Amino acid sequence: MSLGFTYRQRTVRVVTIQRVVLQQRILINANFYGVGGRETHVVKLCEALVQTGVEVTVVSRVANSSAKEITDSLEAVPVRFLSTPFASSSKLRLSTIWAMMGWPLHLRQHSFDALYTFDISSFTEFLRKFVSSDGKLILNRAGDLMRVEDLPAKNLTLPDLIIVETELQAAAARDVFGNNLRIISIPPLGNYHSPPGRIETPSKEFLDAAFLGRFDESKGAFRLLNVWSKLRDQRIRLSFYGHGDRDRLKEAICSLGLTDRISIKESWTSPKELAKILDQTDFVVLPSQTEGLPIVLLESIAHGVPFVATDVGAIRTLAEGNPDVLVVENELEAISAGIDKMASLIRSGSVIGKRLQQFALERYNYELLAADWQQALLNPANERLQAPVADNVEARVVIQ
């Protein structure tokens, strides 16, 4: 009699399972008035989202002719862009009516995971209909610190998430809403990705200052003319780059007899053109009456160009631990004194462009901020995002 046993061989088979990943869809509601900060942010945000494989649709009731370069750049991202026949006119009401009648033919074919918007209004309620039942409404609130008076008068749906530019604005928003809403701060994106290194130039007789942005009262474009006529340092030239009422601005310059010291130049339409402008600029001036965290100032410091700006909105946060910029009181004498002081600092060599660029890189790193925006819009519930799987394939070992 013998003892024996039977060995049963196990075979190992690899079974490949296709993982089904649903492409996220984001709907962005934004108006385009020109080559400005918000418009630039929207383009950069679209680029960051599309890089993750997201399908982005941008809808706009306002797309002025001066913003054509911006809206054209959206096609290169690429995104789906919907506008109206009245978008380039001043007839916002007609543009809104057309949008509410015509856009459903395009939008109802999709179920969006999130609606990203800059305002909460009846039109936002209309767009909310095209978001899935578990989709999110995300409000990007820029500008001055939020107040109770800023809330819409009508009983509208509150957003699931509010994004502001700085913690200073976030604290003000939390005072308004309490703990009822999730509020986070992320600085806006702009043309400050991999800027060229600042080359220090030798001292020169005339300094070149620049105003970059929209030519209107809120940005301080016209009050700046009165400031320029009272400067102690007469060896500072000012150039206006941007869009707005050029004829009115030109007339005002002529009436004050400042044509030899102030000029109006063409706006920029690309990061390369902006870099060229900043390369020949000694400092930027932004005497705004109202602001949030201006993208043009983020772009300025990223290129190593100092600025003089008024203490409105969240601008003061750009001067924290930063010796190469000046934030002054929001009144004409303080602005004038700040410009004279900046000119003196530059002439003495006290302002260091490379140090300013290092500050910008440490505080406003473009890649990190782009990742924050991706996280906020693709995962507004703040759940941990799953890492992507190579080739969209998952392998499972089955033992038989």
Side-chain angles (χ1 to χ4, degrees):
M1 183 176 180
S2 62
L3 296 175
F5 63 90
T6 301
Y7 174 79
R8 183 179 178 184
Q9 186 176 6
R10 295 190 303 172
T11 60
V12 178
R13 179 167 58 90
V14 176
V15 179
T16 299
I17 301 174
Q18 188 73 26
R19 174 177 293 173
V20 178
V21 178
L22 298 179
Q23 184 182 37
Q24 288 203 52
R25 296 186 175 96
I26 303 294
L27 178 62
I28 296 178
N29 175 36
N31 292 331
F32 297 86
Y33 295 95
V35 182
R38 178 178 293 183
E39 291 84 353
T40 300
H41 166 72
V42 170
V43 173
K44 296 300 179 182
L45 178 61
C46 288
E47 291 176 353
L49 293 172
V50 170
Q51 286 174 1
T52 67
V54 175
E55 180 186 289
V56 179
T57 297
V58 178
V59 293
S60 179
R61 290 174 291 159
V62 178
N64 291 343
S65 57
S66 56
K68 188 176 185 306
E69 291 82 3
I70 289 285
T71 53
D72 286 348
S73 66
L74 288 172
E75 297 180 4
V77 173
V79 304
R80 295 175 67 239
F81 181 70
L82 293 180
S83 188
T84 81
F86 305 99
S88 60
S89 70
S90 59
K91 301 175 181 178
L92 179 60
R93 185 169 181 273
L94 286 178
S95 189
T96 301
I97 294 173
W98 196 99
M100 297 180 74
M101 293 178 62
W103 286 358
L105 297 174
H106 303 277
L107 299 179
R108 68 185 179 189
Q109 301 171 9
H110 302 268
S111 181
F112 294 96
D113 299 286
L115 167 60
Y116 171 79
T117 183
F118 292 93
D119 62 66
I120 298 296
S121 63
S122 298
F123 188 73
T124 311
E125 296 284 291
F126 158 72
L127 292 176
R128 184 70 175 82
K129 299 176 182 178
F130 305 101
V131 179
S132 63
S133 59
D134 59 346
K136 305 298 182 182
L137 174 59
I138 302 172
L139 171 66
N140 189 187
R141 174 59 163 74
D144 281 327
L145 306 187
M146 183 175 285
R147 305 167 303 168
V148 174
E149 294 81 2
D150 297 327
L151 295 177
K154 296 181 179 180
N155 185 21
L156 301 174
T157 303
L158 291 177
D160 298 287
L161 171 66
I162 296 180
I163 304 176
V164 295
E165 299 162 308
T166 66
E167 276 302 311
L168 184 65
Q169 292 152 300
R174 293 185 186 111
D175 287 341
V176 173
F177 291 104
N179 297 320
N180 297 323
L181 290 176
R182 181 168 172 248
I183 301 169
I184 63 174
S185 63
I186 313 176
L189 301 176
N191 290 315
Y192 55 91
H193 181 264
S194 302
R198 183 69 170 177
I199 299 176
E200 305 295 343
T201 57
S203 177
K204 56 184 182 180
E205 181 180 359
F206 281 88
L207 296 179
D208 291 295
F211 173 98
L212 299 99
R214 191 169 64 251
F215 308 153
D216 65 17
E217 302 292 350
S218 66
K219 293 293 184 180
F222 292 92
R223 73 196 298 214
L224 190 54
L225 303 183
N226 294 324
V227 168
W228 226 257
S229 63
K230 300 175 182 177
L231 291 179
R232 288 187 294 104
D233 192 333
Q234 297 290 303
R235 298 175 299 161
I236 311 174
R237 295 175 296 218
L238 174 63
S239 297
F240 281 90
Y241 300 90
H243 62 94
D245 196 339
R246 297 176 69 89
D247 291 338
R248 180 191 170 199
L249 185 60
K250 182 178 180 180
E251 182 180 343
I253 293 171
C254 292
S255 66
L256 291 171
L258 295 171
T259 54
D260 59 331
R261 297 170 57 199
I262 301 179
S263 59
I264 306 174
K265 300 183 179 180
E266 294 299 320
S267 184
W268 66 98
T269 59
S270 68
K272 185 177 180 180
E273 291 176 350
L274 176 61
K276 184 177 180 180
I277 291 172
L278 291 173
D279 181 57
Q280 58 194 25
T281 297
D282 293 299
F283 65 98
V284 167
V285 184
L286 188 64
S288 299
Q289 299 274 23
T290 176
E291 275 293 355
L293 184 69
I295 293 176
V296 69
L297 297 186
L298 293 178
E299 294 169 333
S300 176
I301 64 175
H303 286 79
V305 180
F307 68 77
V308 178
T310 43
D311 185 10
V312 294
I315 290 179
R316 70 180 68 172
T317 62
L318 294 174
E320 296 172 354
N322 184 1
D324 298 305
V325 302
L326 290 177
V327 178
V328 301
E329 292 183 17
N330 185 22
E331 52 94 11
L332 295 183
E333 290 185 4
I335 298 169
S336 177
I339 292 171
D340 281 324
K341 181 178 180 180
M342 177 57 74
S344 177
L345 291 172
I346 292 175
R347 295 185 192 282
S348 68
S350 300
V351 175
I352 303 173
K354 291 184 178 179
R355 179 175 63 192
L356 185 54
Q357 285 191 294
Q358 184 61 34
F359 169 88
L361 182 63
E362 293 174 357
R363 300 285 187 91
Y364 304 98
N365 184 287
Y366 186 93
E367 287 80 4
L368 295 180
L369 293 181
D372 287 342
W373 278 104
Q374 291 167 344
Q375 170 76 10
L377 267 66
L378 303 182
N379 189 35
N382 202 31
E383 299 168 351
R384 183 177 296 278
L385 290 175
Q386 297 298 319
V389 178
D391 299 325
N392 196 30
V393 169
E394 176 183 67
R396 184 175 68 193
V397 176
V398 180
I399 298 179
Q400 292 182 330

